[in-house]
Amino acid sequence: MRHPISTRQPVVIVGAGPFGLSLAAHLAEARVPFRIFGRPMQTWKTQMPVDMHLKSDGFASNLYAGRARSFTLEDFCTERGLPYHPTAMAIPLATFIAYGEEFARRIVPTLEPQNVTALDTNPDGSFALTLEDGERFTASAVVLATGLSVNHHLPTAFAALAPQYVSHTAEHQRFDRFTGQRVAVLGRGASSLNAAALLHQAGAHVTLITRKRNIFVHGPSDGSPRSWRARLRHPGSPLGPSWRSWASSRLPLLFHALPAPLRHAVNYKHLGPAGGVALHGLVFDRFPILRQTEILTASATDDHRLALTLRNLVDGAQQTLLVDHLIAGTGFRQDLARLRFLAPELRSRIRTHANGSPRLDRRFQTSIAALYVIGPAAADSFSPLFKFAAGADFAARHLTAHLQRQT
């Protein structure tokens, strides 16, 4: 159904990470009236370790300014005299954050650094918004680009434990407070491996626990050109060299046309848990790793430690591991209920998949007309590309073209 965009009622973007900022840049170029709210790169600044490096290559870590102008990560690093290579070096998180903030200042100067506190629909189908400074206004369309800011998942088995005993990897920027302590890290993905390596460097006694046997860390690249045979067999893409990654990056609308169960399976299995190249040499043989092991129970002891009952999944043998703290790298789950600014009635009308991610049409639109979702929450509909900053390119171009047609 056509939902006209009013020049008096702007499009609103909620979120100022790579997806929100890239969309704002494209809307500005297309002269679509908009307002964008959020603090730039907030999730990257508050929910990731300050000393980590990006998993994505440099060429796949850009924000997207539109056709008329370009401001890439390489441009930023050249201006600041910072080291950069498109494939042969890991980009420090601090560099990426500084780049995103400069992108906001230079390309999206109208960014309003405050949060939306309430969002609901009006009888005519427009949206009623309230900001944290108390301003209320109406928008003709809303784009949710909130990223992973409220979606970290902690298993229910640990929910009853006090925060002094258990936390999620997204809750830690630094690990100095664990110096000298015994810390268990659960998981084998990038966040778990980053946490374990940084804990070890901070002087903690780390034990990594994973239900799987294999742990993968990307090896370094020398940056030399790949042969035509290698490119033909494994074409390059922002997601890495393979035909599946190439298709996920180049054909998101084809991915959207696949049956939902197949999309979910590909999204879950493709690009499985792995550490980035910056972790090469910092994980294996550095601290104990308990593979094919699960945590059966976790309980606080009288001397204020945490007793973990572990079971080996191969032979069933059990052991107890005493630690001071457990950090769970148990990933993120889409849950619109965590977006507290959404009115309950509006939230209840948004159709979702079984895993909680919103059902989106080919224009990133939810089941509510003119309410759109971009970023990691769109991955189940549009491919694994949207778990990464590189997905902001297609999202910004595709959604801008649609919104421009509505004006």
Side-chain angles (χ1 to χ4, degrees):
M1 180 179 72
R2 178 178 170 84
H3 190 95
I5 304 300
S6 168
T7 56
R8 292 171 297 162
Q9 298 176 354
V11 174
V12 165
I13 304 169
V14 183
F19 281 84
L21 292 173
S22 296
L23 176 61
H26 281 70
L27 291 178
E29 184 177 76
R31 301 185 182 278
V32 175
F34 74 93
R35 293 177 72 178
I36 177 173
F37 301 99
R39 291 168 177 84
M41 308 297 286
Q42 183 72 1
T43 298
W44 299 83
K45 289 192 286 189
T46 62
Q47 296 190 29
M48 298 182 188
V50 294
D51 295 324
M52 69 168 275
H53 291 70
L54 300 190
K55 187 176 177 180
S56 300
D57 286 328
F59 82 91
S61 303
N62 295 312
L63 278 66
Y64 300 91
R67 297 183 209 169
R69 58 190 307 188
S70 174
F71 183 51
T72 65
L73 177 60
E74 182 177 8
D75 295 334
F76 173 78
C77 290
T78 299
E79 289 182 6
R80 299 290 178 94
L82 299 172
Y84 172 87
H85 191 278
T87 58
M89 67 164 286
I91 304 299
L93 175 65
T95 297
F96 185 61
I97 291 173
Y99 162 59
E101 291 177 325
E102 181 61 23
F103 186 99
R105 284 190 291 269
R106 188 178 303 191
I107 309 297
V108 192
T110 58
L111 171 65
E112 300 177 58
Q114 62 171 314
N115 294 324
V116 173
T117 59
L119 172 63
D120 204 348
T121 50
N122 292 312
D124 64 355
S126 62
F127 296 91
L129 296 99
T130 304
L131 305 180
E132 61 185 0
D133 67 0
E135 180 188 355
R136 298 181 179 183
F137 67 100
T138 298
S140 54
V142 173
V143 182
L144 302 179
T146 53
L148 298 172
S149 58
V150 294
N151 290 318
H152 61 268
H153 168 68
L154 195 65
T156 55
F158 307 138
L161 293 169
Q164 74 180 86
Y165 295 117
V166 64
S167 58
H168 191 276
T169 52
E171 299 176 64
H172 299 282
Q173 291 180 277
R174 300 183 183 275
F175 297 92
D176 296 349
R177 73 180 181 93
F178 295 108
T179 299
Q181 295 188 27
R182 297 187 178 278
V183 183
V185 178
L186 178 62
R188 63 187 182 115
S191 60
S192 298
L193 299 180
N194 269 306
L198 292 171
L199 280 163
H200 178 72
Q201 291 177 348
H205 305 285
V206 184
T207 301
L208 184 70
I209 303 170
T210 173
R211 291 174 55 89
K212 302 298 183 180
R213 181 181 65 180
N214 295 324
I215 297 174
F216 186 69
V217 175
H218 291 288
S221 166
D222 62 8
S224 59
R226 299 168 65 226
S227 69
W228 68 268
R229 288 187 178 88
R231 295 196 304 270
L232 182 62
R233 292 180 61 189
H234 305 287
S237 79
L239 298 180
S242 77
W243 277 106
R244 183 180 292 180
S245 291
W246 183 91
S248 295
S249 301
R250 297 294 186 91
L251 304 170
L253 291 179
L254 178 61
F255 185 91
H256 186 278
L258 297 174
L262 179 57
R263 293 202 313 268
H264 299 165
V266 171
N267 195 43
Y268 178 75
K269 294 179 180 179
H270 187 49
L271 301 176
V277 64
L279 292 174
H280 188 74
L282 300 179
V283 174
F284 303 118
D285 301 321
R286 298 285 179 161
F287 41 78
I289 299 177
L290 302 180
R291 304 168 189 258
Q292 294 177 284
T293 299
E294 66 177 349
I295 299 176
L296 292 179
T297 63
S299 57
T301 65
D302 292 337
D303 59 352
H304 304 292
R305 289 193 291 175
L306 186 64
L308 302 176
T309 303
L310 309 178
R311 180 174 64 187
N312 185 283
L313 296 173
V314 177
D315 59 17
Q318 296 187 18
Q319 63 172 304
T320 299
L321 179 66
L322 289 175
V323 297
D324 297 294
H325 195 83
L326 169 66
I327 297 178
T330 44
F332 300 84
R333 292 187 180 178
Q334 301 301 328
D335 185 358
L336 293 175
R338 296 190 183 187
L339 297 179
R340 299 301 177 87
F341 60 85
L342 294 180
E345 193 276 333
L346 179 149
R347 189 190 308 134
S348 68
R349 290 162 48 206
I350 301 175
R351 297 179 61 207
T352 61
H353 296 289
N355 64 359
S357 64
R359 294 177 179 267
L360 305 177
D361 68 12
R362 289 170 57 88
R363 298 160 296 185
F364 293 95
Q365 186 172 228
T366 69
S367 51
I368 296 178
L371 179 63
Y372 305 88
V373 173
I374 57 177
D380 270 332
S381 295
F382 286 94
S383 91
L385 177 68
F386 295 86
K387 296 178 181 179
F388 300 90
D393 183 21
F394 176 84
R397 288 186 289 104
H398 189 64
L399 184 51
T400 295
H402 165 67
L403 293 174
Q404 192 175 25
R405 289 194 295 269
Q406 305 306 299
T407 57

